């Protein structure tokens, strides 16, 4: 890949940088609280008004038709400017690529503009009490009815479902079929009759997760994503995006690495120099790796099992960056603040988007060809 940026790409990056410098809000409250969630929703509408909420989407859906390279650069500028994590991330980074790949025109027209403006914030409703790593063990089901389906079951660990508007998840539509078959991907309203959302407190005490209970919740046919009984294939397209590209772009880690270097300089602690350098190089390596992924996709390649390698890398990098910062801070690291918050969240990286133990199994079996 040619890493010299064209004048058009440089102009886009400069525009983004200037806009963010003028608009990024000062320290929004956590999006895992009701007031923080509302404040983040407002920020995402500001982004959408500037047509910067979903730059890689087509212009008809308030995007910029930006290339994946431009999207990566946008993300770098976004985090370098100190802008907050995206409350709509499950929708724009996980569901939207799946809608572009598997949705109908009607679904795209109806759902994407509302997603881009955070009018609908989406929750991922995949995990169940007995189906986390082994997602195909899920028991929630959907039964055919007039004009649609009735969904029943229990989902858990659904990020921001406490405050979100809609959910996407897999339900068993053919109990006779093999485990991975007979599943269908549904979109549903979290405020529909029959839905109960019960918040769960996270490590930091905020209700960032929720359990979702569904009791004969009606979903019309137009909210089936992909073909009936073909949900596993559709879900794997979501999972590859989550692990391999869209959910965690390098910008977030580059910004953290730069802050870590500043912290190290301010502390003047020579003994931790090598760890700081390693973490900084890790962020740069992830950036170059992502450019490689973007090139591969631009040339018609696909995100496949390689996504597991990417996920292992970014999740471990995040922990290393934050552990190094806390060690540098010493006793001050015990105090509440951005490094402490970031550290607590980094601990979840090896779990969400598929645990790292499972990703190692995927790498061993599917990429290295080792026996089970
Ligand atoms: C911050 C955070 C946000 C999340 N957000 C969402 C969300 O929005 N929506 C959603 O649906 N889910 C979400 N999850 C849930 C997450 O996807 C699950 O926690 C994850 O899939 C693991 O499932 P589990 O918790 O049931 O653990 P289990 O599957 O029970 O695993 C327990 C342990 O056993 C290991 N293990 C299991 N099977 C194997 C095996 N075959 N080989 C080796 N080791 C194995 C696992 O790696 C893990 O260490 C989130 C989780 C976190 C931490």
């Amino acid at each position: 890949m040619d890493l010299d940026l064209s004048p058009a790409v440089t102009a886009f990056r400069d525009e983004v940088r200037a806009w963010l410098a003028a608009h990024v809000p000062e320290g929004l409250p956590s999006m895992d609280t009701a007031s923080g969630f509302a404040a983040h929703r407002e920020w995402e509408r500001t982004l959408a008004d500037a047509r910067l909420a979903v730059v890689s989407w087509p212009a008809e859906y308030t995007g910029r038709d930006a290339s994946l390279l431009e999207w990566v650069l946008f993300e770098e500028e976004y985090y370098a400017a100190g802008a907050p994590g995206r409350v709509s991330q499950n929708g724009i980074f996980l569901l939207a690529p799946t809608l572009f790949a598997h949705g109908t025109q009607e679904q795209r027209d109806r759902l994407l503009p509302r997603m881009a403006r955070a009018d609908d914030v989406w929750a991922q409703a995949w995990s169940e009490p007995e189906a986390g790593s082994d997602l195909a063990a899920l028991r929630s089901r959907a039964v055919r009815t007039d004009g649609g389906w009735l969904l029943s079951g229990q989902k858990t660990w659904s990020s921001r479902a406490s405050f979100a508007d809609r959910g996407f998840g897999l339900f068993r539509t053919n109990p006779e079929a093999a485990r991975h078959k007979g599943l269908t991907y549904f979109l549903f309203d979290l405020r529909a009759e029959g839905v109960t959302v019960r918040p769960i407190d996270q490590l930091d005490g905020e209700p960032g997760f929720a359990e979702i209970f569904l009791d004969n919740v009606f979903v019309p046919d137009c909210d089936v994503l992909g073909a009936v009984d073909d949900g596993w294939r559709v879900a794997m397209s979501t999972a590859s995006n989550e692990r391999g590209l869209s959910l965690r772009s390098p910008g977030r880690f580059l910004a953290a690495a730069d802050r870590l270097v500043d912290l190290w300089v301010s502390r003047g602690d020579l003994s931790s120099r090598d760890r700081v350098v390693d973490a900084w190089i890790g962020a740069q390596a992830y950036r170059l790796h992502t450019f490689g992924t973007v090139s591969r996709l631009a040339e018609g390649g696909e995100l496949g099992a390689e996504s597991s390698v990417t996920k292992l890398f970014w999740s471990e990098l995040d922990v290393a960056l934050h552990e190094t910062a806390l060690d540098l801070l010493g006793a001050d690291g015990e105090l509440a603040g951005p490094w402490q918050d970031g550290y607590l969240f980094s601990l979840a990286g090896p779990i969400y988007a598929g645990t790292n133990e499972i990703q190692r199994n995927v790498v061993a079996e599917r990429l290295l060809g080792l026996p089970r």
Side-chain angles (χ1 to χ4, degrees):
M1 176 181 212
D2 180 1
L3 287 176
D4 289 329
L5 302 180
S6 70
V9 172
T10 311
F12 172 73
R13 190 188 59 186
D14 292 347
E15 177 205 330
V16 168
R17 186 177 293 173
W19 188 90
L20 289 167
H23 292 88
V24 167
E26 278 289 316
L28 296 183
S30 162
M31 65 172 96
D32 293 333
T33 62
S35 59
F37 190 89
H40 277 76
R41 211 197 267 269
E42 266 322 297
W43 159 241
E44 306 240 346
R45 286 183 179 141
T46 308
L47 274 175
D49 288 342
R51 289 189 45 237
L52 290 174
V54 285
V55 293
S56 60
W57 292 11
E60 61 184 304
Y61 302 124
T62 69
R64 292 282 187 107
D65 287 307
S67 64
L68 281 179
L69 168 66
E70 287 169 317
W71 171 73
V72 175
L73 296 173
F74 170 85
E75 291 270 302
E76 288 180 9
E77 295 301 326
Y78 186 86
Y79 287 104
R86 301 291 298 272
V87 75
S88 54
Q89 63 183 13
N90 285 332
I92 57 177
F93 296 146
L94 306 186
L95 180 57
T98 316
L99 279 168
F100 283 119
H102 300 275
T104 63
Q105 187 66 43
E106 184 278 328
Q107 287 174 328
R108 291 195 278 265
D109 292 348
R110 176 165 51 93
L111 303 173
L112 291 173
R114 291 186 58 78
M115 190 189 293
R117 289 192 54 75
D119 291 338
D120 287 334
V121 176
W122 289 80
Q124 183 187 33
W126 285 20
S127 305
E128 297 189 6
E130 307 290 330
S133 300
D134 186 10
L135 182 61
L138 66 87
R139 288 188 301 201
S140 293
R141 63 188 189 283
V143 178
R144 196 84 186 97
T145 188
D146 258 3
W149 298 82
L150 293 173
L151 311 187
S152 296
Q154 180 189 354
K155 303 287 179 177
T156 191
W157 309 129
S158 190
S159 297
R160 285 170 295 285
S162 309
F163 314 112
D165 308 290
R166 304 208 69 197
F168 55 94
L170 289 178
F171 292 78
R172 200 163 288 288
T173 35
N174 182 356
E176 310 302 322
R179 275 160 36 97
H180 294 75
K181 316 264 180 201
L183 299 171
T184 302
Y185 201 125
F186 286 97
L187 312 174
F188 59 94
D189 203 325
L190 284 168
R191 297 193 193 91
E193 200 181 327
V195 176
T196 306
V197 176
R198 201 155 73 191
I200 309 173
D201 288 349
Q202 297 184 145
L203 204 52
D204 60 7
E206 304 297 358
F209 289 124
E211 292 175 292
I212 306 171
F213 297 87
L214 302 109
D215 182 12
N216 282 324
V217 177
F218 176 74
V219 169
D221 284 323
C222 64
D223 277 340
V224 173
L225 179 49
V228 171
D229 291 348
D230 192 31
W232 187 258
R233 197 172 64 91
V234 184
M236 288 309 102
S237 141
T238 308
S240 294
N241 274 293
E242 182 173 17
R243 293 170 192 153
L245 186 66
S246 54
L247 184 66
R248 294 284 176 256
S249 64
R252 179 187 176 113
F253 308 105
L254 290 166
D258 284 346
R259 284 200 309 277
L260 179 64
V261 171
D262 290 345
L263 177 67
W264 178 74
V265 169
S266 73
R267 295 262 152 172
D269 174 3
L270 274 182
S271 65
S272 52
R273 184 187 58 187
D274 288 357
R275 286 176 67 199
V276 172
V277 170
D278 280 349
W280 186 86
I281 289 174
Q284 300 297 326
Y286 181 43
R287 179 179 200 243
L288 295 175
H289 169 82
T290 302
F291 286 144
T293 305
V294 164
S295 291
R296 195 155 46 87
L297 292 174
E299 285 158 13
E302 288 185 1
L303 285 168
E306 290 81 5
S307 296
S308 295
V309 178
T310 310
K311 198 264 157 161
L312 283 165
F313 194 86
W314 61 248
S315 58
E316 294 189 351
L317 172 63
D318 208 22
V319 175
L321 279 162
H322 286 88
E323 270 181 358
T324 308
L326 288 195
D327 286 351
L328 270 170
L329 284 166
D332 291 348
E334 301 293 320
L335 302 174
W339 283 116
Q340 177 68 234
D341 291 348
Y343 173 67
L344 293 181
F345 189 71
S346 76
L347 296 178
I351 304 174
Y352 67 82
T355 65
N356 283 9
E357 291 81 6
I358 298 294
Q359 303 319 306
R360 287 196 169 84
N361 283 349
V362 172
V363 172
E365 289 163 23
R366 287 203 240 149
L367 296 179
L368 301 177
L370 299 178
R372 271 177 83 90

